[in-house]
Amino acid sequence: MPGTSHRRRAMTVLTSAQMLYYFGISIDLTLTGLVGLRLAPVPALATLPFALIGVGSWGATYPASRFMRRRGRKAGFLVGSGAALTGGIISVTALLSEQFVLFCIGIACIGVYQAFAGYYRYAAADMFPPDQRGKAISTVLSGGVIAAVAGPFLATAVRDLGPVEFTGSYALVTVLALISIGVLSLLTAEDTEAAAAARSEPGAAAEDVAPRTLKQIARQPVFLAGVAGSCIGYFVMTSLMAAAPIAAVEAGHSVHDGAQVIQWHMVGMYATAFASGPLTRLIGAGRTLLIGAAVSALGTATALMSLSHMNFVIALGLIGVGWNLMYVSGSALVANSYRPQERSLVQGVGEIFTLGGSAVGALAAGPVLNALGWESMNTALLVPLAASAVITVAHLYAARPRSAA
């Protein structure tokens, strides 16, 4: 069946592209703070480049959606990988010339890449019926497992290959972006656009003629639960991911120990993709989101128990697992909230909130950590997690079967 062939090829390409994206982004996540500390004119600006990944993503996500609506997803994905290529080249140049502002520009380009790459999962979800979308999303995200394990090691292994420390690492980002462009060029319009149209449920065509307004869509409990889950999951994860290495060093652990905390955090983030999709299909996206919020809350509670290195590893590992469950199930709920003709608008709005949560978390992590300390910061993050759970329960209540009168 041609549709099956297109879906299989598209899923292979999207999963491979996701893996290459996570390889590149893991290098930036591992090293950007260290490079920022080295190049920043004052220590207070050291975390600015790291925050620009989230800010760049947030700023580019809706324009990315509009661009792909007009030019198609393949064109948009290639633009995203092109931004990564540009960012890698600029970052290497900045290191060679020791220019902090230029380095910030290069890292912001990686944020643009993240904005476009965020739609890989929606491209996969749109090819399948509602009960299979969570599994499709998690299959694409599973491409990050190898990157989670190998990316930080690669980042440090090649850092001395250039004339200046870390130039080899950012040169690798450039190479990975080039490979990504080659992989994504294998996509065809039929792989995503035609398959997306073909996956519409029988009898839905008449409904799709008149798209609803954003206000009508946003009032749906399924949309609210999906956006809140993805946004809050990202906010909590990014806040603690940015703060944990600093808190670990302040607690007396080495820089290597801090990097190891992030490595296991990333393993939790992406290895969970093998389970989150099947779990979403088995018990539903709403219940999976509640489990994710509970696991994230357990991670923050674990962080309060001790400042030992192992406790940091366990806490951040749980936060990574919770993020994946909330991100996959939240994305599945958003994907179930729109009709085919509404997808570009709804996906764009959903990504604005999701990546906005990431950007705010990254920007706020340093000041909040300095103001509250590690323990109080984790305690405070229980509030948004509880809010996500309440919104999700409201969605489950609204979606429950009504008994006959």
Side-chain angles (χ1 to χ4, degrees):
M1 177 179 177
T4 301
S5 174
H6 287 311
R7 284 198 297 268
R8 186 181 300 115
R9 178 171 58 187
M11 288 298 291
T12 300
V13 171
L14 291 169
T15 302
S16 300
Q18 186 80 33
M19 181 184 70
L20 291 165
Y21 159 69
Y22 278 133
F23 261 127
I25 200 72
S26 69
I27 293 172
D28 282 279
L29 293 175
T30 302
L31 299 180
T32 294
L34 296 174
V35 177
L37 185 62
R38 174 179 171 177
L39 296 180
V42 294
L45 294 176
T47 59
L48 177 61
F50 184 94
L52 285 176
I53 297 176
V55 173
S57 298
W58 179 79
T61 184
Y62 193 69
S65 176
R66 290 177 59 87
F67 178 86
M68 287 187 286
R69 183 178 182 179
R70 295 174 180 174
R71 301 293 183 88
R73 277 179 165 149
K74 177 179 178 179
F77 293 159
L78 288 172
V79 168
S81 293
L85 176 64
T86 302
I89 293 172
I90 292 176
S91 297
V92 170
T93 305
L95 280 163
L96 292 173
S97 58
E98 297 188 350
Q99 295 185 48
F100 179 71
V101 173
L102 192 61
F103 182 67
C104 287
I105 294 172
I107 297 304
C109 288
I110 300 300
V112 174
Y113 178 35
Q114 186 179 59
F116 280 94
Y119 290 95
Y120 293 160
R121 72 191 195 279
Y122 282 128
D126 284 342
M127 293 187 288
F128 293 88
D131 65 334
Q132 297 180 33
R133 289 175 195 160
K135 187 176 188 300
I137 290 169
S138 67
T139 297
V140 170
L141 292 180
S142 68
V145 176
I146 297 174
V149 177
F153 287 113
L154 278 175
T156 54
V158 302
R159 67 180 185 180
D160 296 321
L161 292 184
V164 176
E165 188 181 22
F166 299 123
T167 53
S169 303
Y170 289 93
L172 179 58
V173 172
T174 306
V175 172
L176 291 168
L178 277 171
I179 298 173
S180 178
I181 290 173
V183 169
L184 288 167
S185 67
L186 299 176
L187 273 179
T188 66
E190 290 80 7
D191 286 334
T192 53
E193 307 304 331
R199 67 90 174 122
S200 299
E201 297 83 0
E207 284 188 297
D208 295 338
V209 174
R212 296 165 295 176
T213 65
L214 180 59
K215 185 176 182 180
Q216 290 174 317
I217 296 167
R219 285 177 174 174
Q220 300 174 101
V222 62
F223 175 82
L224 293 173
V227 168
S230 297
C231 175
I232 291 171
Y234 237 124
F235 171 76
V236 171
M237 183 275 291
T238 307
S239 297
L240 295 180
M241 185 179 189
I246 300 172
V249 171
E250 289 179 346
H253 304 295
S254 68
V255 173
H256 172 75
D257 289 338
Q260 191 178 60
V261 168
I262 297 304
Q263 181 187 355
W264 285 105
H265 169 69
M266 293 179 70
V267 171
M269 287 173 66
Y270 304 126
T272 310
F274 290 115
S276 53
L279 185 62
T280 297
R281 188 170 184 180
L282 180 65
I283 67 173
R287 291 181 178 85
T288 302
L289 205 162
L290 285 177
I291 293 174
V295 173
S296 294
L298 179 61
T300 62
T302 301
L304 301 174
M305 297 178 182
S306 168
L307 293 177
S308 68
H309 174 243
M310 183 55 64
N311 212 63
F312 272 102
V313 169
I314 294 172
L316 267 293
L318 289 170
I319 291 295
V321 172
W323 168 83
N324 186 282
L325 293 171
M326 295 182 75
Y327 185 57
V328 169
S329 57
S331 299
L333 289 173
V334 172
N336 288 338
S337 73
Y338 55 77
R339 300 166 185 167
Q341 291 184 357
E342 300 164 348
R343 66 176 186 177
S344 295
L345 173 65
V346 177
Q347 289 174 2
V349 171
E351 286 297 273
I352 286 175
F353 282 98
T354 298
L355 294 178
S358 174
V360 172
L363 287 170
V368 172
L369 180 64
N370 289 332
L372 300 181
W374 177 245
E375 292 86 354
S376 295
M377 180 181 184
N378 277 273
T379 301
L381 288 174
L382 291 170
V383 176
L385 288 171
S388 175
V390 169
I391 295 171
T392 304
V393 169
H395 153 63
L396 292 172
Y397 180 80
R400 76 195 191 285
R402 299 294 196 274
S403 58

